[in-house]
Amino acid sequence: MIVEPRQWIRRHPRGTDSTLAVLLFGITLVSTTWEQPPYVHQWPPLPALVVCAVSAGVLLRHRRHPRLTVIVTTTCSTVLGALGPTLGYQFGSTVASTALAALVSLAWRTDQRTTGRYSAVCVLPLLAASAARTSDGIHVQPDEVGLVAIVLLAAAVADSARSRRDYVAAVEARAELAERTREDEARHRVAAERMRIARELHDVVAHHITLAHAQAATADYLLASRPDRAGPAMSHLIPTLATALKELRATVGLLRHNGHEGPLEPAPGLARLPALLASFAHAGLTVHRTDDGPEQRLSPGVDLTAFRIIQEALTNVAKHAGTPAARLHLTHTGDLLTITVSDDGPPRAVADTAAGYGIIGMRERARAAGGRLRARPKTDHGFEVIAELPTGTAHPAGPSLTDREDVR
């Protein structure tokens, strides 16, 4: 099985370091046996062998202590350069190969400023050792310039590779963050859509099933006491169930909506309020409606919100109030619509728990439209729901209403 070199190096860092140290030890040691022009003329001197071994051994610590490794290997290379004239070999870049490898490792693991400083720390001693072997130390020799160039080039190449690695890592991190943010936004939108559909399903089911239950109970009672009046009561049950099935089908159809098809019918609004009140009347709940102020034009979202709040509030009266009558009061004042639904039934608590999501859904609808909603028992008896909704077409959920919301 063929393994890429990069993968093998990442998986075996100790083996890589050991191989590199042995290789550089051999190169440095062989360099102490050469003479110009390059040919082997002697065995490696013992002092040079010891210094080469120390330098290669220190190189094994370049991952944990890169700065100290550069200093020690540079010192060893400088010592080899100073011993060259005495031990009979020429000082060159191959003698300083261990120091070059340590400097490259430092540039790969640190920043540009640190690389520049330690490049100077490496170059100056090596240049001094190279110049000391010449009889005329005033004139700069070509091999001295070459040694400096090789050291600086190695540091520059390693620093450039590190900069590119950091840039690629930063780009990948930004891409990952953008992808994670996009996924979070998608989950948030899905959750918001689920809540919206859940509210629609709750309003449709609670309203129509409550009416159907009331109408069926009335018909059952009349069959025993007044059979002649049971027929008209039963006649209202089928349209109620048909309407419930139609709205359920439309709401569930939103889950299959692909974005290219339009809605099957306009969303309900206050224009359908007379039909809504008539459906409650057929179920045995008489709603007395009053209006104050000139009727204002509502945005589609606020119109739907107002209709659903009235529908849910009257459904709660039919289910929980135990009274045959309710009051609906609409107040139009400037850019504000106030809806008040009240009854005179026995006192009851606010159903804000998992057992009753009606008031929770009404409050969420009011907040989404930029308004607020209060649901509370009346001081004497009965219960009331008060919703304040802005009538404009572009009203965000401003703090003037929602921040001062009285949930009771």
Side-chain angles (χ1 to χ4, degrees):
M1 180 177 182
I2 300 177
V3 181
E4 294 184 1
R6 291 183 180 179
Q7 296 181 357
W8 190 91
I9 291 174
R10 291 175 182 175
R11 295 176 182 176
H12 307 85
R14 293 184 179 180
T16 302
D17 294 344
S18 299
T19 303
L20 178 63
V22 171
L23 179 63
L24 294 178
F25 170 76
I27 292 175
T28 307
L29 189 61
V30 170
S31 299
T32 62
T33 65
W34 289 351
E35 191 178 62
Q36 296 295 336
Y39 64 88
V40 176
H41 74 99
Q42 64 178 4
W43 288 98
L46 181 60
L49 186 140
V50 173
V51 175
C52 291
V54 172
S55 181
V58 171
L59 186 63
L60 295 174
R61 311 294 295 177
H62 73 99
R63 296 181 185 270
R64 293 188 177 181
H65 308 286
R67 295 172 176 82
L68 181 61
T69 303
V70 170
I71 294 175
V72 175
T73 54
T74 301
T75 302
C76 292
S77 298
T78 304
V79 171
L80 288 175
L83 293 175
T86 304
L87 300 179
Y89 58 85
Q90 300 293 328
F91 179 59
S93 58
T94 54
V95 178
S97 58
T98 308
L100 293 179
L103 184 61
V104 169
S105 176
L106 175 75
W108 179 256
R109 287 172 172 79
T110 59
D111 53 26
Q112 187 175 15
R113 187 174 182 179
T114 303
T115 302
R117 290 178 177 179
Y118 280 84
S119 296
V121 170
C122 184
V123 165
L124 294 178
L126 294 179
L127 181 61
S130 178
R133 66 183 174 82
T134 61
S135 58
D136 187 3
I138 299 176
H139 300 286
V140 179
Q141 302 298 322
D143 54 350
E144 298 172 7
V145 177
L147 178 62
V148 173
I150 290 175
V151 172
L152 296 180
L153 179 62
V157 170
D159 182 73
S160 176
R162 177 196 52 79
S163 299
R164 183 181 181 278
R165 178 200 63 189
D166 294 344
Y167 172 76
V168 172
V171 170
E172 291 177 351
R174 286 196 297 268
E176 182 180 356
L177 177 61
E179 184 67 22
R180 187 164 57 250
T181 304
R182 189 182 303 112
E183 292 177 357
D184 292 341
E185 179 66 20
R187 283 194 293 267
H188 176 73
R189 292 183 179 181
V190 170
E193 184 66 12
R194 288 177 56 191
M195 290 297 299
R196 186 180 71 85
I197 296 176
R199 285 195 298 265
E200 291 292 330
L201 286 174
H202 176 274
D203 293 344
V204 170
V205 172
H207 169 64
H208 291 290
I209 298 303
T210 298
L211 292 184
H213 178 270
Q215 292 169 354
T218 302
D220 182 67
Y221 172 77
L222 292 176
L223 282 174
S225 59
R226 301 286 299 274
D228 57 324
R229 299 184 58 183
M234 291 291 295
S235 64
H236 297 297
L237 180 59
I238 295 178
T240 299
L241 293 176
T243 304
L245 291 175
K246 182 180 179 181
E247 293 199 17
L248 280 174
R249 189 179 298 110
T251 304
V252 175
L254 294 175
L255 299 174
R256 301 179 178 177
H257 187 57
N258 57 13
H260 301 288
E261 302 175 356
L264 298 179
E265 62 177 14
L270 294 184
R272 293 174 53 179
L273 197 55
L276 177 66
L277 301 184
S279 65
F280 280 106
H282 295 318
L285 178 66
T286 302
V287 181
H288 302 282
R289 173 184 175 182
T290 57
D291 294 83
D292 285 341
E295 184 175 349
Q296 303 291 331
R297 182 179 179 181
L298 305 178
S299 65
V302 174
D303 198 17
L304 173 62
T305 299
F307 179 84
R308 291 303 190 193
I309 288 176
I310 294 173
Q311 183 184 57
E312 178 61 26
L314 292 176
T315 301
N316 288 342
V317 172
K319 291 170 59 177
H320 307 295
T323 177
R327 289 182 295 275
L328 170 63
H329 187 71
L330 302 179
T331 304
H332 299 270
T333 55
D335 59 350
L336 189 68
L337 169 64
T338 304
I339 303 171
T340 304
V341 178
S342 60
D343 63 80
D344 295 329
R348 64 183 189 272
V350 180
D352 251 3
T353 63
Y357 290 103
I359 293 178
I360 295 177
M362 288 190 293
R363 186 174 297 121
E364 289 176 350
R365 286 184 179 276
R367 286 177 175 174
R372 65 172 181 172
L373 183 137
R374 292 171 288 174
R376 59 193 180 189
K378 297 168 63 175
T379 55
D380 46 1
H381 53 82
F383 197 85
E384 67 178 356
V385 174
I386 303 175
E388 297 177 354
L389 304 175
T391 60
T393 57
H395 288 273
S400 59
L401 293 179
T402 57
D403 287 358
R404 297 182 290 105
E405 181 180 11
D406 178 12
V407 298
R408 294 288 188 261

